[in-house]
């Protein structure tokens, strides 16, 4: 059993894909997909020795060493063209780190069909990076697990033009306005409102930034009613 978060990431991996999971930790995601028969080949990339060793052990314990190669590598250095990777997942890291991993290995992305990205924060920076580097978001998902909210971006080559609102709230998520989306942004608005209450009246610029953020959230949530 993998987490609802990883299960949702997995649901966007195309049937029969050759998968690279960057930052695989225990290799839960590739193991799940191979065991279900959804894919046949995967690479689990991990840059830190401890998690790399857990991934190797886990893959061995599941008897999948012939189907899942675990590689100790930084980001996209885990594969080259001969691996014919078609889908890359990067989950459970900050949005800026995900963008920097993609940027560092940018040239290798030309033959990859799909990226499935699950940033833990700074989704806005990641969306901006994708827009500036010839990628388009083709689907998004949001979920809540153990009190945390997670956004998942499904990305392919192409152009997109995001408004400021799309960048912050997600082009698909802000149209769908699911109950989880509403919960996430209501909670965020409450936090910002609390922070605003702590800022003295004389710090007008600081107050204005927060007030604008709260206003943008209210607009997105009200637009759905
Ligand atoms: C919080 S864990 C997430 C594990 C798994 N992807 C998940 O979503 O449950 C992040 C993992 O990414 C690894 N990591 C961070 N930066 C990396 C990089 N540049 N290349 C490969 N792995 C990286 C960390 O060592 C860690 O094991």
């Amino acid at each position: 059993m993998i987490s609802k978060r990883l299960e949702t990431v997995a649901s966007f991996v195309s049937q029969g894909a050759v998968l690279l999971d960057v930052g695989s930790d225990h290799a839960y995601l590739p193991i799940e997909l191979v065991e279900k028969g959804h894919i046949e080949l995967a690479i689990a990339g991990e840059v830190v020795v401890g998690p790399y060793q857990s991934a190797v052990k886990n893959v061995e314990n599941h008897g999948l060493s012939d189907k899942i190669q675990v590689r100790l590598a930084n980001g996209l250095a885990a594969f080259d063209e001969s691996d014919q990777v078609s889908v890359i997942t990067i989950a459970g890291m900050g949005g800026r780190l995900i963008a920097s991993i993609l940027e560092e290995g940018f040239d290798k992305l030309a033959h990859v069909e799909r990226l499935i990205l699950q940033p833990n924060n700074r989704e806005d920076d990641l969306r901006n990076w994708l827009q500036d580097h010839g990628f388009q978001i083709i689907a998004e998902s949001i979920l809540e697990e153990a009190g945390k909210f997670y956004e998942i971006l499904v990305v392919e080559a192409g152009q997109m033009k995001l408004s400021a609102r799309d960048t912050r709230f997600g082009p698909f998520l802000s149209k769908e306005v699911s109950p989880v989306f509403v919960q996430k942004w209501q909670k965020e608005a409450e936090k910002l409102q609390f922070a605003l209450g702590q800022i003295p009246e004389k710090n007008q610029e600081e107050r204005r930034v927060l007030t604008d953020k709260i206003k943008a959230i209210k607009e997105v949530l009200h637009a759905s009613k």
Side-chain angles (χ1 to χ4, degrees):
M1 270 291 280
I2 56 173
S3 63
K4 183 161 81 167
R5 176 181 61 82
L6 283 181
E7 191 78 62
T8 312
V9 171
S11 73
F12 290 106
V13 175
S14 336
Q15 176 91 36
V18 177
L19 175 72
L20 166 66
D21 183 35
V22 176
S24 203
D25 197 355
H26 289 75
Y28 290 138
L29 181 66
I31 290 174
E32 169 79 6
L33 283 164
V34 171
E35 284 196 330
K36 275 206 307 209
H38 193 74
I39 62 171
E40 289 201 357
L41 278 179
I43 300 165
E46 190 32 80
V47 76
V48 175
V49 174
Y52 160 79
Q53 285 168 341
S54 336
V56 171
K57 224 170 162 188
N58 234 355
V59 168
E60 277 171 12
N61 289 345
H62 283 78
L64 293 176
S65 305
D66 56 334
K67 295 190 167 165
I68 303 174
Q69 287 189 23
V70 185
R71 299 183 183 166
L72 185 63
N74 186 354
L76 304 187
F79 82 111
D80 61 34
E81 220 176 298
S82 67
D83 293 308
Q84 300 192 309
V85 165
S86 59
V87 173
I88 297 180
T89 48
I90 312 182
M93 296 178 213
R96 287 178 178 169
L97 177 57
I98 294 178
S100 77
I101 288 173
L102 295 174
E103 177 127 9
E104 254 180 59
F106 186 67
D107 293 344
K108 291 180 161 183
L109 295 175
H111 301 288
V112 175
E113 287 162 22
R114 176 176 286 192
L115 311 173
I116 304 156
L117 311 173
Q118 182 267 298
N120 283 343
N121 56 38
R122 301 316 307 228
E123 294 85 355
D124 51 348
D125 289 328
L126 181 57
R127 288 191 184 98
N128 273 331
W129 186 92
L130 292 165
Q131 171 170 252
D132 294 345
H133 290 80
F135 290 101
Q136 60 174 332
I137 299 171
I138 60 152
E140 289 176 316
S141 187
I142 186 166
L143 68 127
E144 183 270 335
E145 190 168 53
K148 286 192 180 159
F149 295 96
Y150 300 103
E151 296 185 14
I152 293 164
L153 280 54
V154 185
V155 173
E156 292 185 358
Q159 301 298 318
M160 64 177 171
K161 200 160 167 27
L162 299 176
S163 63
R165 174 174 152 159
D166 290 337
T167 303
R168 179 143 182 246
F169 299 98
F172 290 88
L173 299 177
S174 64
K175 282 191 190 73
E176 186 195 358
V177 193
S178 67
V180 178
F181 177 90
V182 173
Q183 275 172 35
K184 168 177 172 157
W185 289 106
Q186 273 175 347
K187 212 168 162 184
E188 185 64 24
E190 281 164 20
K191 272 196 236 160
L192 291 169
Q193 195 68 52
F194 178 79
L196 184 62
Q198 310 295 306
I199 301 173
E201 293 287 345
K202 62 177 171 29
N203 297 4
Q204 281 193 15
E205 182 52 26
E206 220 180 314
R207 290 182 63 87
R208 196 187 55 76
V209 171
L210 288 191
T211 310
D212 285 352
K213 282 188 174 176
I214 295 167
K215 194 167 150 232
I217 294 175
K218 287 190 175 154
E219 279 170 9
V220 170
L221 296 182
H222 283 138
S224 69
K225 287 189 181 155

